[in-house]
Amino acid sequence: FEVAEKYYREMTSKSDQFESHYMIYPFAHRLGYAMLMNGKEEGLSIMEAYRDTLISTIQRKEIKTYGMGEYYDLGTIYASLDNKEQALEWLRKAKDKEMEGAFFRMDYLNADPMLDNLRQEPEFQKMLADKLEQSERVKQIFYEKLALYHANNELKWLSRR
C-alpha cells in the first residue's frame, strides 16, 4: 500500500484541476485507506472528513449528473470502516441511480480492496451476480447488433458487384 499512498498523495495534490468543491479531493478516501493499510492512523480522519463532505454535498443536492461516484465512494468508505450496513445502503443507492449516471461498475466491484470485507455478504454477492448478468446481457446485445451491422454491410458490398 506504500505505492498506493504515494499515488493518491500525488492525485490529491492536483486539487486545482477539479471544478467543484466536493471534487477537490476525489481520491482522499483512497489516500486515507492506503495510509491505514500502512499503519498510519491519520488515514482514518482523512476518510471521515471526505465522508462528511460527500454526505453534505448529497444533502445539499450539489451532485452533477456526470460521474456521480459519491454513492459508490461512500459505500467504499463505510465498508473500509467496517460499517457493512451503511456500505451496502450506499452501494444500493449507486446501483439504483446507475441509469442516471451513478458510478456502479462491475470491474470495480470485483476488484476494489476497500470492499473486501463485504465479499462474503449475501447482499453484496447478489449485487455482483446481478451486475454480471446485466453485463452479459449488454455484451450479448452488442454482439448481436454488431453481427447484424456486419451482415448488412456485407449484403451492401455484394449488391455493388
Side-chain angles (χ1 to χ4, degrees):
F1 285 97
E2 290 171 10
V3 173
E5 182 179 342
K6 181 180 176 190
Y7 171 78
Y8 290 121
R9 277 192 191 282
E10 180 183 327
M11 294 306 293
T12 56
S13 72
K14 298 178 179 184
S15 62
D16 58 336
Q17 297 176 13
F18 302 102
E19 70 178 63
S20 65
H21 70 279
Y22 71 87
M23 289 297 291
I24 289 176
Y25 298 108
F27 303 102
H29 63 303
R30 298 203 176 271
L31 171 60
Y33 179 75
M35 290 173 71
L36 281 174
M37 294 297 103
N38 287 330
K40 299 175 182 170
E41 290 300 316
E42 63 268 26
L44 179 60
S45 61
I46 291 172
M47 288 176 65
E48 289 173 338
Y50 188 63
R51 175 202 60 201
D52 295 345
T53 299
L54 290 177
I55 290 172
S56 174
T57 299
I58 290 168
Q59 289 171 342
R60 289 191 313 269
K61 297 182 170 98
E62 293 179 10
I63 296 177
K64 305 207 175 181
T65 54
Y66 63 88
M68 287 175 57
E70 295 79 8
Y71 302 109
Y72 180 84
D73 288 350
L74 282 164
T76 63
I77 290 168
Y78 280 112
S80 298
L81 298 175
D82 206 29
N83 186 333
K84 295 176 184 180
E85 186 177 313
Q86 284 287 324
L88 290 168
E89 180 181 329
W90 285 105
L91 290 174
R92 255 185 259 116
K93 288 179 183 181
K95 182 181 178 190
D96 292 346
K97 293 187 176 286
E98 182 179 20
M99 294 309 289
E100 298 171 34
F103 184 87
F104 191 73
R105 289 187 38 189
M106 185 69 195
D107 51 343
Y108 279 76
L109 290 169
N110 268 333
D112 195 332
M114 292 181 77
L115 298 174
D116 282 350
N117 69 344
L118 295 179
R119 302 215 182 276
Q120 299 306 313
E121 295 296 314
E123 183 178 356
F124 186 77
Q125 290 176 352
K126 180 162 179 16
M127 280 183 192
L128 284 174
D130 290 349
K131 190 63 178 168
L132 180 61
E133 183 181 325
Q134 177 192 24
S135 297
E136 291 301 317
R137 279 194 316 264
V138 168
K139 195 184 309 181
Q140 180 181 357
I141 291 168
F142 171 79
Y143 286 123
E144 288 170 2
K145 298 273 185 194
L146 185 62
L148 184 60
Y149 171 79
H150 284 299
N152 285 337
N153 280 338
E154 185 70 22
L155 292 174
K156 287 177 189 175
W157 179 80
L158 288 173
S159 68
R160 286 187 229 150
R161 286 182 167 202

